[in-house]
Amino acid sequence: MRTNRQEASGTQRTPLSRDRVLRAAVALADAIGIDALSMRRLAQELDVVPMALYKHVANKEELLDGMVDAVVGEVDPPATGPDWQPVVRGRILSARRVLLRHPWAARVIESRTAPTPAVLAYLDSMAGIFREGGLSADLTHHVMHAMGSRLLGFSQELFDTSGPSGPPDPALAAHYPHIAELAATAAHDEASTVGGSGTGGGGGCDDQFEFEFALDLLLDGFEGLRRRGWTSSR
């Protein structure tokens, strides 16, 4: 039965839980950025004293671990099908869509000193898809290394390509003509960038196209190795 005070306010405080803390932290990082996230700021968002958070997460690092697991938990489960390539491709692109919703997450995943439980479960599931698709344990081992963070929907670029678009600098073109030629062909979609600043400005490459281009090359290559019965001992 509701108390008179609860009836007067029309609301009842939702009990604090680890799940609620993590969901609030993810939403707050989406809104203000991961660098601005703090235990104090999160406590303000939840309308509790900071010490109340420590009943559910021991410290900021444990909070970040839990946020990673919450984000990875949003990735779609693997589809079913007779061919392993579209199953792997679909799940990786689902992971990428999740990271586009949470642009800070890739950097936090990279900062972890060890894989979190959800990341381990995800990687184990992906390895299982390769094995069920006919790849040997040996080939799957090397595939996982070759894919790296691409399994989770992001990859590290050699340099930042998100600068302003426009004709190449004449001095650059004179000294590095091939780089200038490639830069002139680039088209950029800010919404396709994982882990970017989200400030816009154009320029650079279409990250989504580049990601899928490399992903398809890798998957086709792995399938070719599988068909040839490749092993690392040869």
Side-chain angles (χ1 to χ4, degrees), residues 195-229:
S197 63
T199 55
C205 301
D206 182 338
D207 289 51
Q208 185 68 27
F209 180 87
E210 303 298 351
F211 184 88
E212 294 189 35
F213 177 77
L215 176 61
D216 290 338
L217 285 177
L218 286 167
L219 297 182
D220 287 345
F222 299 151
E223 174 62 10
L225 294 176
R226 184 196 69 79
R227 290 178 178 175
R228 296 202 302 271

Side-chain angles (χ1 to χ4, degrees), residues 45-124:
E45 188 73 13
L46 288 165
D47 193 24
V48 298
V49 297
M51 287 304 297
L53 299 179
Y54 293 99
K55 296 179 181 178
H56 305 283
V57 288
N59 49 45
K60 177 72 175 292
E61 289 304 302
E62 186 174 312
L63 175 69
L64 293 174
D65 284 346
M67 292 169 66
V68 166
D69 279 353
V71 167
V72 173
E74 296 180 20
V75 179
D76 293 335
T80 57
D83 300 321
W84 68 269
Q85 281 184 262
V87 175
V88 168
R89 188 181 196 277
R91 196 158 195 226
I92 289 175
L93 293 183
S94 171
R96 185 168 179 83
R97 288 191 295 271
V98 170
L99 293 189
L100 286 169
R101 294 199 298 267
H102 309 290
W104 50 270
R107 181 152 61 98
V108 175
I109 290 171
E110 289 181 314
S111 74
R112 301 300 85 200
T113 57
T116 63
V119 170
L120 279 174
Y122 176 87
L123 295 177
D124 183 77

Side-chain angles (χ1 to χ4, degrees), residues 116-167:
T116 63
V119 170
L120 279 174
Y122 176 87
L123 295 177
D124 183 77
S125 173
M126 295 300 285
I129 297 171
F130 290 123
R131 294 289 286 121
E132 291 168 7
L135 280 68
S136 67
D138 177 41
L139 178 54
T140 297
H141 169 87
H142 294 288
V143 163
M144 299 289 282
H145 276 288
M147 292 291 287
S149 66
R150 199 175 296 274
L151 283 166
L152 285 159
F154 70 98
S155 59
Q156 187 177 35
E157 298 296 335
L158 286 174
F159 45 82
D160 183 10
T161 61
S162 60
S165 58

